[in-house]
Amino acid sequence: MNAPLGKTLTLWLLIGIALIVLSAPTIVVLGASFTSGNIITFPPDGLSLKWYAKLAGARALWEAFLRSVYVATVCTIISIPAGTVAGVALAKYGVRFEKTIQTYLLLPFTIPLIGSGIGLMLVFGNAGVLGSLWPVGLACCVINLPFMIWAVTASASALDPDLELAAANCGAPPLQTFFHVTLPAVMPGVISGSLLMFILALNEFLVSLLLVDARIVTLPVHIYNSIRSIITPDLAAISVVFIICAAGAVALLDRLVGLDVFLKSK
Amino acid sequence: MHDATTDAGAREAQGSQPVAVSVLDVSMVYDGVHAVRDASFDLPRGRFLTILGPSGSGKTTLLRLIAGFQKPTKGDILINGTSVNAVPPHKRSIGMVFQRLALFPHMTAAENVAFPLKMRRTDARKIPERVDRYLDLVKLGGFGQRRIHELSGGQQQRVAIARALVFEPDLLLLDEPLAALDRKLREEMQLEFRRIQRELGVTTINVTHDQREALVVSDEIIVMDHGVIQQKAEPSRTYRSPRNAFVASFIGVTNFIAGDARSLAGDTVVVGVGESEWTGVIGDKACPLNVGAPVRGAIRAEQIRIARDGRALEGAGSRHAGIVSDAIFEGERVVYEVRLPDLGDTLMRVFDHGPHDTIAVGDEVYLGWNPDDVLVFDDEAGHP
């Protein structure tokens, strides 16, 4: 409170720089999307909503966007049961080889995405499912599952171990205990984990790039393909829509479980 | 106040009731350490038993073995005459109030109380009526729709009691549920447990480290230390005739005088400390003392009288001069700590309920007591 003026100034300066660096890309994209010119520039060349109007008619963009939503949904649906069961088991039960399993589950983080992407491409290619969209969702689930497990584990570790004993004491067999007591108690972790999985899968680029073909591009891949030919401001506009989706998910998270819970869940 | 006749009456009543819980030679070993060693006792139906002991004495382990959360390493636990070693906890008819209550946070008070009924497949039409009846029993009528975090600590206690009793279990277990409450609420809830237990007549096992609680609520007390049952008796017997030095020290404010047994005559022991001697009676008649063995005499603070003038203590039997080393004002009484030079500088705690301002620290005083009140124990017994 009584810190010398110089210290306060330095602190605020650092905070200011950090805020600018962190938000600059978003501001630039946001600004560029409102341009009235025909190329992406920042600051925008006049103000207009014409690129948003054009978005409404750009079928290829919307289809790519819906495909991304589909991939994110598949990923989330798979990761909820898998991540919840794994997270609860690791946190609460004396699983054998617990450390080994934990390391194994974290492996996807240590392998470069390009490596796991090529691996998944080979696996799906052999299985003959390359060219459908759902394997992309599965792939997103595989590479991001540790986030889900972490979120659930954090909730489950905070759980009073007596709660499950109390349920048994009330006459609940193990399965009933899980559904009536354990699952509701770890629900904040499940919700924050699955929203995170959804956002990550929605944004996933590198692995999607390897797994999709020209007919089933997801939005990030579509944008990437487009900027290689011509950079038009509608890409900035769709990026803004994208950012709004992610922000919406975060707002939903805050409403459902509170951001503090999410931030604490590592 | 209990006396010998009511104790005998209690034993008679106990004899006429069938045994609800039998613990037979039960041991529990964790990593080679005995948490419970060879524990055995019977509890007749409808009785209120308290297992009393310091932390780490094995009392909670014993309770959890009875609840079925763990399997004993050795021995057998019988409920209503049937061994339950192979019965998982959810199939035992046992209600339990946990130390941290373990109420389900995502349910209302009424949903918490209804949970055991749902799990035990009670007719769904009868559940609301039964839940209301038990919420009324714990004086929470009208609070059923509250969430757990909207209730005060005392109200949460009551929900936990209702949840443990609503399915009319054969046995109620209390795992130190009052430990976290402030003193006033704790004493109120002790009487509440007693009232509900008497009203329903449910066999109850309570675990606590609070000696006052044990004396107030129980029909019987088991004192445990280092995993071993030290004594099982009615509260008044536990207090008046502790079986060893540990029980004597754990319940009540007890003074110990050390020494060597010099001579034995009947129950009377003469003990020497250096040049001087003191007299007491054998504490545990089942455990004979040997002349020359190191012993400890236990005497309650309230059995010692204090006076500035030795003549005021004529007829006290034992009388010793000492110096007041501390005076602690506790409101209704003053506790004096008095050093007795002729008993090896033993520090004695004495209560004074009278006019308080006559004795000060540093004063020379006399302590007097009846030698029959000094219980002499073998120094080794009760010290595993």
Side-chain angles (χ1 to χ4, degrees):
Chain A
M1 293 245 187
N2 294 324
L5 190 66
K7 193 178 164 190
T8 316
L9 265 179
T10 318
L11 202 62
W12 279 109
L13 197 67
L14 282 173
I15 292 173
I17 292 170
L19 281 178
I20 290 169
V21 171
L22 285 175
S23 54
T26 316
I27 292 168
V28 168
V29 169
L30 196 64
S33 73
F34 290 113
T35 186
S36 55
N38 287 333
I39 46 166
I40 286 189
T41 50
F42 188 84
D45 187 12
L47 281 178
S48 93
L49 286 172
K50 72 173 183 180
W51 295 107
Y52 287 93
K54 203 177 166 225
L55 262 192
R59 267 198 66 197
L61 268 179
W62 280 113
E63 278 171 11
F65 177 70
L66 288 178
R67 276 194 289 270
S68 273
V69 172
Y70 174 83
V71 164
T73 309
V74 169
C75 164
T76 311
I77 288 172
I78 301 170
S79 64
I80 287 174
T84 305
V85 172
V88 169
L90 281 175
K92 295 200 62 64
Y93 305 110
V95 185
R96 273 203 283 177
F97 313 118
E98 188 181 322
K99 284 269 175 287
T100 320
I101 293 176
Q102 230 150 19
T103 314
Y104 175 78
L105 286 171
L106 295 181
L107 267 185
F109 274 0
T110 59
I111 297 171
L113 275 182
I114 190 77
S116 44
I118 289 171
L120 285 160
M121 188 174 80
L122 292 174
V123 170
F124 288 147
N126 274 338
V129 291
L130 223 50
S132 349
L133 204 51
W134 64 263
V136 185
L138 181 60
C140 289
C141 177
V142 170
I143 58 172
N144 290 326
L145 199 62
F147 283 114
M148 182 78 192
I149 294 173
W150 273 345
V152 176
T153 307
S155 269
S157 308
L159 200 63
D160 181 355
D162 279 352
L163 223 48
E164 291 184 340
L165 296 180
N169 189 250
C170 285
L175 200 64
Q176 299 273 19
T177 300
F178 181 79
F179 281 112
H180 287 287
V181 173
T182 315
L183 196 56
V186 300
M187 215 26 132
V190 175
I191 291 174
S192 58
S194 48
L195 276 170
L196 191 60
M197 291 298 283
F198 189 87
I199 298 171
L200 287 173
L202 195 67
N203 299 347
E204 170 51 41
F205 167 66
L206 196 58
V207 173
S208 302
L209 183 67
L210 294 168
L211 294 180
V212 297
D213 58 33
R215 293 162 296 137
I216 56 160
V217 286
T218 56
L219 188 58
V221 180
H222 181 89
I223 294 174
Y224 170 73
N225 287 342
S226 305
I227 55 172
R228 287 202 301 180
S229 45
I230 175 167
I231 307 176
T232 49
D234 58 345
L235 296 177
I238 191 77
S239 299
V240 170
V241 172
F242 221 14
I243 291 166
I244 289 170
C245 284
V250 173
L252 190 65
L253 187 70
D254 192 33
R255 277 294 295 274
L256 289 179
V257 290
L259 269 184
D260 48 339
V261 173
F262 171 69
L263 292 174
K264 263 181 257 164
S265 65
K266 292 174 212 163
Chain B
M1 275 277 176
H2 277 66
D3 57 32
T5 48
T6 54
D7 277 0
R11 271 197 296 278
E12 220 165 76
Q14 176 179 343
S16 64
Q17 283 287 335
V19 171
V21 182
S22 275
V23 171
L24 300 173
D25 222 13
V26 164
S27 291
M28 184 71 193
V29 181
Y30 295 111
D31 302 326
V33 178
H34 274 81
V36 174
R37 188 191 288 269
D38 302 327
S40 291
F41 66 87
D42 283 343
L43 181 64
R45 195 169 293 166
R47 301 277 281 179
F48 196 125
L49 169 75
T50 294
I51 304 176
L52 176 68
S55 57
S57 61
K59 56 190 194 302
T60 295
T61 306
L62 190 51
L63 197 77
R64 287 182 172 234
L65 291 174
I66 296 169
F69 300 147
Q70 283 150 339
K71 281 204 173 84
T73 315
K74 178 173 86 67
D76 215 351
I77 294 168
L78 278 66
I79 296 177
N80 292 332
T82 324
S83 169
V84 292
N85 272 7
V87 181
H90 66 272
K91 290 194 175 141
R92 301 187 185 190
S93 177
I94 296 176
M96 181 153 170
V97 181
F98 289 76
Q99 187 164 18
R100 281 166 298 174
L101 301 184
L103 293 168
F104 306 127
H106 56 285
M107 299 183 193
T108 63
E111 282 165 356
N112 265 279
V113 179
F115 187 73
L117 297 175
K118 278 188 197 149
M119 289 302 120
R120 287 165 199 274
R121 302 188 192 287
T122 309
D123 184 348
R125 286 164 301 180
K126 290 184 183 156
I127 290 180
E129 183 272 325
R130 187 96 84 89
V131 168
D132 285 347
R133 185 146 50 89
Y134 275 85
L135 284 174
D136 284 344
L137 175 80
V138 296
K139 298 178 181 161
L140 274 184
F143 285 88
Q145 295 320 305
R146 299 277 187 95
R147 297 238 150 219
I148 295 308
H149 62 83
E150 293 169 343
L151 297 171
S152 71
Q155 288 169 332
Q156 293 184 4
Q157 291 276 338
R158 291 165 186 273
V159 175
I161 298 167
R163 186 181 68 180
L165 288 171
V166 70
F167 58 100
E168 290 165 6
D170 293 339
L171 179 63
L172 175 65
L173 303 180
L174 308 173
D175 182 12
E176 293 202 61
L178 304 181
L181 298 184
D182 61 74
R183 185 174 155 188
K184 196 157 171 283
L185 190 54
R186 190 167 66 234
E187 289 177 1
E188 182 192 321
M189 290 307 295
Q190 286 167 1
L191 298 177
E192 200 62 10
F193 274 128
R194 193 77 187 111
R195 173 185 72 82
I196 292 167
Q197 195 269 341
R198 288 211 174 120
E199 212 168 305
L200 300 178
V202 59
T203 315
T204 303
I205 301 179
N206 175 40
V207 155
T208 188
H209 61 263
D210 178 347
Q211 47 142 325
R212 198 197 110 89
E213 178 184 323
L215 295 171
V216 168
V217 301
S218 330
D219 296 319
E220 283 172 62
I221 297 176
I222 282 179
V223 180
M224 278 188 87
D225 187 38
H226 287 87
V228 178
I229 293 182
Q230 305 289 332
Q231 183 167 17
K232 175 175 181 281
E234 298 88 51
S236 58
R237 248 180 76 83
T238 310
Y239 191 83
R240 294 208 188 117
S241 314
R243 231 198 59 189
N244 58 36
F246 175 78
V247 177
S249 71
F250 199 70
I251 300 184
V253 178
T254 308
N255 297 294
F256 285 100
I257 327 167
D260 302 312
R262 285 208 180 141
S263 69
L264 291 159
D267 282 347
T268 309
V269 193
V270 175
V271 182
V273 191
E275 298 294 296
S276 50
E277 285 183 340
W278 53 272
T279 310
V281 295
I282 289 178
D284 185 7
K285 309 225 168 22
C287 175
L289 291 173
N290 298 319
V291 171
V295 295
R296 295 209 294 166
I299 179 163
R300 304 282 186 203
E302 72 269 21
Q303 288 167 328
I304 303 175
R305 285 190 289 149
I306 181 168
R308 291 166 74 86
D309 186 351
R311 279 169 299 181
L313 299 174
E314 301 248 323
S318 291
R319 200 167 45 158
H320 296 273
I323 308 284
V324 176
S325 64
D326 203 358
I328 303 139
F329 180 65
E330 288 187 350
E332 81 278 13
R333 68 185 183 195
V334 174
V335 181
Y336 291 110
E337 285 188 355
V338 180
R339 195 172 291 286
L340 301 180
D342 66 333
L343 288 185
D345 263 348
T346 302
L347 207 58
M348 303 284 261
R349 276 176 294 172
V350 186
F351 299 152
D352 183 10
H353 295 265
H356 294 140
D357 40 6
T358 54
I359 301 173
V361 173
D363 283 2
E364 214 169 287
V365 292
Y366 288 89
L367 300 186
W369 61 81
N370 181 350
D372 290 350
D373 290 334
V374 184
L375 302 175
V376 183
F377 299 105
D378 191 318
D379 202 14
E380 305 302 314
H383 281 275

Coordinates of all heavy atoms in Angstrom, one line a residue, chain A residues 50-52 81 100 111 147 204 212 218 222 227 237 254:
Chain A
K50 N -19.9 -4.7 -43.7 CA -20.2 -5.4 -45.0 C -19.6 -6.8 -45.0 O -20.1 -7.7 -45.6 CB -19.7 -4.6 -46.2 CG -18.2 -4.5 -46.4 CD -17.9 -3.8 -47.7 CE -16.5 -3.8 -48.0 NZ -16.2 -3.1 -49.3
W51 N -18.5 -7.0 -44.3 CA -17.8 -8.3 -44.3 C -18.7 -9.3 -43.5 O -18.7 -10.5 -43.8 CB -16.4 -8.3 -43.8 CG -15.6 -7.5 -44.8 CD1 -15.1 -6.2 -44.7 CD2 -15.3 -7.9 -46.1 NE1 -14.5 -5.8 -45.8 CE2 -14.5 -6.8 -46.7 CE3 -15.5 -9.0 -46.9 CZ2 -14.1 -6.8 -48.0 CZ3 -15.0 -9.1 -48.2 CH2 -14.3 -8.0 -48.8
Y52 N -19.4 -8.8 -42.4 CA -20.3 -9.6 -41.7 C -21.5 -10.0 -42.5 O -21.9 -11.1 -42.5 CB -20.7 -9.0 -40.4 CG -19.6 -8.9 -39.3 CD1 -18.8 -7.8 -39.2 CD2 -19.4 -10.0 -38.5 CE1 -17.7 -7.8 -38.3 CE2 -18.4 -10.0 -37.6 CZ -17.6 -8.9 -37.5 OH -16.6 -8.9 -36.6
P81 N -17.5 -39.2 -20.4 CA -17.4 -40.4 -19.6 C -15.9 -40.8 -19.4 O -15.5 -41.2 -18.2 CB -18.1 -41.4 -20.4 CG -18.2 -40.9 -21.8 CD -18.2 -39.4 -21.6
T100 N 2.3 -44.6 -13.0 CA 2.5 -45.0 -14.4 C 1.3 -44.5 -15.2 O 1.5 -44.0 -16.3 CB 2.7 -46.5 -14.5 OG1 3.4 -46.9 -13.4 CG2 3.3 -46.9 -15.8
I111 N 4.3 -35.4 -26.5 CA 4.6 -35.7 -27.9 C 4.2 -34.5 -28.7 O 3.1 -33.9 -28.5 CB 3.8 -36.9 -28.3 CG1 4.2 -38.1 -27.6 CG2 3.9 -37.1 -29.8 CD1 3.4 -39.3 -27.8
F147 N -6.5 -32.5 -20.0 CA -7.2 -31.3 -19.4 C -8.5 -31.7 -18.7 O -8.8 -31.3 -17.6 CB -7.6 -30.3 -20.6 CG -6.5 -29.5 -21.1 CD1 -6.0 -29.7 -22.4 CD2 -5.8 -28.6 -20.2 CE1 -4.9 -28.9 -22.8 CE2 -4.8 -27.8 -20.7 CZ -4.3 -28.0 -22.0
E204 N -9.0 -26.6 -32.7 CA -7.9 -27.4 -33.1 C -7.6 -27.3 -34.6 O -8.4 -27.4 -35.4 CB -8.3 -28.9 -32.8 CG -7.4 -29.9 -33.3 CD -5.9 -29.7 -33.0 OE1 -5.6 -29.3 -31.8 OE2 -5.1 -29.8 -33.9
V212 N -8.2 -34.2 -42.2 CA -9.3 -33.9 -43.1 C -8.8 -33.9 -44.5 O -7.6 -33.7 -44.8 CB -9.9 -32.5 -42.7 CG1 -10.5 -32.5 -41.3 CG2 -8.9 -31.4 -42.9
T218 N -12.4 -28.3 -41.5 CA -12.9 -27.6 -40.4 C -12.6 -26.1 -40.5 O -11.7 -25.8 -41.4 CB -12.4 -28.2 -39.0 OG1 -11.0 -28.1 -39.1 CG2 -12.8 -29.6 -38.8
H222 N -10.0 -24.3 -43.0 CA -10.5 -23.5 -44.1 C -9.9 -22.1 -44.1 O -9.5 -21.6 -45.2 CB -12.1 -23.4 -43.9 CG -12.7 -22.6 -45.0 ND1 -13.2 -23.2 -46.1 CD2 -13.0 -21.3 -45.1 CE1 -13.7 -22.3 -46.9 NE2 -13.6 -21.1 -46.3
I227 N -6.1 -18.1 -46.5 CA -5.1 -17.0 -46.4 C -3.9 -17.4 -47.3 O -3.1 -16.5 -47.6 CB -4.6 -16.7 -45.0 CG1 -4.1 -18.0 -44.3 CG2 -5.7 -16.1 -44.2 CD1 -3.4 -17.7 -43.0
A237 N -13.7 -11.4 -40.0 CA -15.1 -11.4 -39.5 C -15.4 -12.8 -38.9 O -15.9 -12.9 -37.8 CB -16.1 -11.1 -40.6
D254 N -18.6 -19.7 -16.4 CA -18.7 -18.8 -15.2 C -20.1 -18.9 -14.6 O -20.2 -18.9 -13.4 CB -18.4 -17.4 -15.6 CG -18.2 -16.5 -14.4 OD1 -17.7 -17.0 -13.4 OD2 -18.5 -15.3 -14.5

